[in-house]
């Protein structure tokens, strides 16, 4: 969220290029790390760079194209290109790891980052920024980041110390307290809030971010569990596992490209609902993975269907989440959206991996492979339930045509779009 706000205040191109440079330099530090501590520190910087540049990319898109069909097509391409990135990362990551060892997956980011910076300077237009608006809500940024980290850490700890221990309850309580402090700072203290609370008056924005959180909470762990299943149970090597994910990522690409046309014809609510239902069925099909299974019979159908659902849901939810915000607040919307999807993925992985681990421990007497797949099956079942909840939220709470309503003034001087039901 701080990265998105910086894009509004300092200029989107400037923040995007700075985030890319930090990501590339942190990747170089990862490559050269000689200890676990150095690697973790470099990965932290890499994550910070990604958190800065990620909302800037979407902010550049939403502020460059006029709201409507033109922006919807651009957002669809944004989602499709993201799928291509995931596809190439899964494939080439396997090739680099198998051919040159793990540092190569970080080293490759350095020349790519340099090329992106050169292209960005030539292609992305600079945006004028008023110097009087450069106020940074550092307290808000620290509180919301610490709060979300504490919540995630508390959930992750459940696989070793249990839900009722202070090792879990302490971080969870601290996380809730920190997030409450964040809301107080945003409402009462900050001169220019990190997230003006007035944006949450936009009902469709709230619902779209909730849907994205549920979508990533259900879908993101699928990649994690399937990677382990393919390599540790079915015996795929790194390259074969990367190739196995190509149909999924290409399906997301195609569905993301098609989604804006479907939104124009049927409205975002129908497209998101259908997409979430397809993801639910696909993730549900994966509950049949077993030690004696195969990629074609046990992985491909469910993975393909869930990927199509992901592409159909992501783009229209992004369209709704960024509608109605003034151009000066596009970074806020982008930062909030990226936080929703990434925290959804993090919390979903934390919860589902904890569930899978507990089931695996319970079934360990049946053998390692049976215990692993037993945990995967239960995690996929819970993931399908989360995806179904997302479909119900979209169907029951989104308006038929998306954000259509009246404009209100936000405290920061921009406008906010409040949709009518």
């Amino acid at each position: 969220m701080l990265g998105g706000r910086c894009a509004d205040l300092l200029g989107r191109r400037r923040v995007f290029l700075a985030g890319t440079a930090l990501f590339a330099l942190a990747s170089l530090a990862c490559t050269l790390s000689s200890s676990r501590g150095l690697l973790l520190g470099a990965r932290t910087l890499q994550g910070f760079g990604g958190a800065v540049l990620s909302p800037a990319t979407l902010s550049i898109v939403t502020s460059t194209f006029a709201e409507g069909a033109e922006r919807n097509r651009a957002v669809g391409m944004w989602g499709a290109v993201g799928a291509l990135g995931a596809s190439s990362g899964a494939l080439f990551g396997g090739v680099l790891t198998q051919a040159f060892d793990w540092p190569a997956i970080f080293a490759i980011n350095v020349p790519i980052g340099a090329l992106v910076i050169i292209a960005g300077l030539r292609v992305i237009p600079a945006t004028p920024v008023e110097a009087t608006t450069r106020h940074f809500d550092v307290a808000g940024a620290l509180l919301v980041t610490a709060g979300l980290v504490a919540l995630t850490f508390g959930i992750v700890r459940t696989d070793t110390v249990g839900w009722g221990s202070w090792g879990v309850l302490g971080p969870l309580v601290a996380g809730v307290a920190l997030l409450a402090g964040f809301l107080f700072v945003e409402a009462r203290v900050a001169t220019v809030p990190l997230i003006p609370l007035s944006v949450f008056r936009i009902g469709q924005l709230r619902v779209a971010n909730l849907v994205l959180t549920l979508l990533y909470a259900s879908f993101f762990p699928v990649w994690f569990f399937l990677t382990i299943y393919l390599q540790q149970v079915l015996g795929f090597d790194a390259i074969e596992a990367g190739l196995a994910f190509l149909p999924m990522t290409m399906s997301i690409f195609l569905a993301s490209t098609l989604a804006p046309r479907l939104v124009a014809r049927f409205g975002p609510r129908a497209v998101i609902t259908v997409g979430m239902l397809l993801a639910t069925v696909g993730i549900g099909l994966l509950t049949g993975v077993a030690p004696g299974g195969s990629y074609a019979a046990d992985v491909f159908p469910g993975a393909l269907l869930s990927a199509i659902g992901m592409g159909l849901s992501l783009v229209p939810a992004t369209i709704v989440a960024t509608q109605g915000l003034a151009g000066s607040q596009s970074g806020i919307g982008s930062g909030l959206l990226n936080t929703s999807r990434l925290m959804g993925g993090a919390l979903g992985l934390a919860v589902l991996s904890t569930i899978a681990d507990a089931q695996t421990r319970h079934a360990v007497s049946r053998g390692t492979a049976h215990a692993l797949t037993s945990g995967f099956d239960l995690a996929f079942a819970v993931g399908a339930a989360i995806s179904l909840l997302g479909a119900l939220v979209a169907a029951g709470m989104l308006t038929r045509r998306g954000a259509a309503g009246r404009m209100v003034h936000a405290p920061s001087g921009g406008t906010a779009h409040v949709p009518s039901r």
Side-chain angles (χ1 to χ4, degrees):
M1 285 190 276
L2 180 61
R5 190 59 173 151
C6 285
D8 287 337
L9 298 180
L10 296 178
R12 299 173 187 94
R13 183 178 75 168
R14 183 182 301 169
V15 171
F16 170 75
L17 296 178
T20 303
L22 179 58
F23 185 84
L25 290 173
S27 297
L28 178 61
C30 290
T31 305
L32 302 176
S33 296
S34 57
S35 68
R36 179 179 298 181
L38 290 174
L39 179 60
L40 289 175
R43 286 285 283 163
T44 300
L45 288 176
Q46 193 182 39
F48 187 84
V52 170
L53 73 90
S54 182
T57 61
L58 184 57
S59 179
I60 290 170
V61 171
T62 57
S63 62
T64 300
F65 297 92
E67 187 171 303
E70 184 181 28
R71 182 189 292 179
N72 293 350
R73 288 193 297 269
V75 171
M77 185 56 62
W78 175 82
V81 169
L84 279 183
S87 174
S88 59
L91 176 59
F92 293 114
V95 173
L96 292 169
T97 300
Q98 198 158 312
F100 303 105
D101 205 1
W102 65 265
I105 65 173
F106 296 113
I108 193 65
N109 292 333
V110 179
I112 291 176
L115 291 175
V116 169
I117 291 173
I118 294 172
L121 289 170
R122 294 174 58 89
V123 175
I124 302 174
T127 52
V129 179
E130 295 182 14
T132 56
T133 65
R134 297 182 185 182
H135 301 282
F136 293 97
D137 182 14
V138 177
L142 292 175
L143 286 169
V144 71
T145 301
L148 294 174
V149 169
L151 287 177
T152 306
F153 179 73
I155 294 173
V156 170
R157 293 277 288 167
T158 58
D159 65 339
T160 56
V161 298
W163 283 96
S165 70
W166 279 109
V168 170
L169 294 178
L172 293 181
V173 171
V176 172
L178 289 166
L179 291 178
F182 166 72
L183 293 176
F184 176 79
V185 168
E186 301 307 281
R188 302 290 185 182
V189 178
T191 303
V192 179
L194 183 69
I195 299 294
L197 298 186
S198 62
V199 302
F200 293 107
R201 295 172 60 191
I202 309 175
Q204 300 301 277
L205 179 145
R206 296 195 307 268
V207 177
N209 277 277
L210 176 58
V211 169
L212 281 168
T213 299
L214 295 171
L215 174 64
Y216 273 79
S218 61
F219 185 82
F220 185 77
V222 169
W223 294 71
F224 175 74
F225 293 124
L226 286 182
T227 299
I228 299 175
Y229 177 70
L230 291 172
Q231 297 190 63
Q232 295 188 15
V233 179
L234 298 187
F236 284 35
D237 61 28
I239 297 177
E240 289 171 337
L243 289 171
F245 281 109
L246 277 179
M248 293 176 66
T249 49
M250 293 308 298
S251 297
I252 298 175
F253 175 83
L254 294 175
S256 298
T257 305
L258 178 63
R261 301 179 186 177
L262 296 177
V263 169
R265 182 169 183 178
F266 301 107
R269 182 179 69 179
V271 180
I272 295 172
T273 301
V274 171
M276 295 293 288
L277 289 175
L278 287 175
T280 299
V281 175
I283 297 172
L285 290 175
L286 294 172
T287 57
V289 297
S294 67
Y295 172 77
D298 297 288
V299 175
F300 182 77
L304 186 69
L305 199 58
S306 62
I308 294 173
M310 171 70 170
L312 290 179
S313 304
L314 171 61
V315 171
T318 303
I319 291 171
V320 175
T322 55
Q323 278 182 331
L325 289 174
S328 61
Q329 293 184 322
S330 61
I332 293 175
S334 301
L336 186 60
L337 182 146
N338 279 279
T339 300
S340 297
R341 65 187 185 92
L342 294 178
M343 284 308 302
L347 290 173
L349 182 57
V351 171
L352 296 188
S353 62
T354 299
I355 292 172
D357 182 71
Q359 179 64 19
T360 297
R361 292 173 186 268
H362 180 74
V364 71
S365 60
R366 300 172 56 194
T368 301
H370 279 282
L372 276 175
T373 54
S374 178
F376 297 160
D377 289 342
L378 180 58
F380 287 139
V382 176
I386 294 173
S387 181
L388 178 59
L389 177 60
L392 295 176
V393 169
M397 300 179 69
L398 283 175
T399 59
R400 183 178 181 277
R401 300 303 300 179
R406 57 188 178 84
M407 304 294 290
V408 298
H409 289 281
S412 59
T415 56
H417 195 82
V418 181
S420 56
R421 293 302 304 265

